[in-house]
Structure formats: structure tokens, C-alpha cells
Amino acid sequence: MSPNDHLSFTSFLDNILVDFPPQNPLVFPSSRSNDEISKNKRVISNRESARRSRIRKQTHLEDVKSKITRYKTVNHELMNRLRSVNRNGQIFGQENQRLEVELVMLQEKLYNLHNLLEIHHTLMLPSSTWPCVNNNVTQNQLSLVTLL
């Protein structure tokens, strides 16, 4: 490399730096600005779409929370009603057992009365011996009445 070459290279660099930034850049403003405009529109559209999506998601979440609250309330009410039905079922079961015992006792009394009537017919007691017909009540008649 000769010293003249060095000067020419240096002057070349000086010329480049003097013209930097170029006064008339080779830019295609119409195509680049349309691309930029399209890109900006897409960015704005995407942001708006994302915002609407967040709003829908928030609305859905609030709806689900509301349903959960309602279902918990209904479940609590149903549990209370179930407890009440179970308590009433136990009470009615106990009452039913008591009535069954009473039924057996009344059936036994009816059976005993039926037997007394059969004995009465077989002995053919006169109707005057019954206390309701005659005021003269004997000891045997009293014992028969107390059995009833």
C-alpha cells in the first residue's frame, strides 16, 4: 500500500462521513408506511381482542363464583331439611312402635272379651246377671268388668 493509497482511502472515508446520514435516503415510504400501518392496526386489534377476552374471562369467573355461592346456599338448606326429615322420621318411628305395642295390647283385650262372650253364651247366663242390666253386681261380675 502506497502513501497515496492511504490518502485516497482516508478521503473516501471523509466523504462518506460528511454525507452521513445521507440527505436523500433510499427509503420507500409508501410500502414501509403501509406495512407499519398494517402492523400498528394488528397490534391495536390484538390488544383490543385481548382486553375483550379478559373481560369475558372476568365475567365468566364472576358468574361461576355466583353459581358456587348459590349452590352452597341451596346445599345448606337441603342439608337442614334432610336433618329435619330424619328427626321427624325417628319421632314417627318411635310413635309407630308405641302404637304397635298398643295395638297388640288392644288385640289381646279384644281376644279376652271375645272369649268372655263365648263363655257367656256357653253358660247361657241370664241377661239379668250383667251389671248394666241389674244394679246387683257380684264379685265375679266385678272381676269380669276389670278385665275389660
Side-chain angles (χ1 to χ4, degrees), residues 73-102:
T73 301
V74 168
N75 187 38
H76 184 69
E77 290 171 2
L78 289 173
M79 291 297 286
N80 286 341
R81 288 174 59 189
L82 180 61
R83 277 191 222 103
S84 175
V85 166
N86 284 338
R87 272 193 308 270
N88 289 339
Q90 289 174 347
I91 291 169
F92 291 142
Q94 292 169 352
E95 180 66 12
N96 191 37
Q97 288 176 347
R98 187 191 67 75
L99 290 173
E100 286 174 350
V101 168
E102 188 177 336

Side-chain angles (χ1 to χ4, degrees), residues 115-125:
N115 284 342
L116 285 174
L117 284 175
E118 283 184 1
I119 292 171
H120 173 69
H121 285 297
T122 56
L123 295 176
M124 296 179 84
L125 292 172

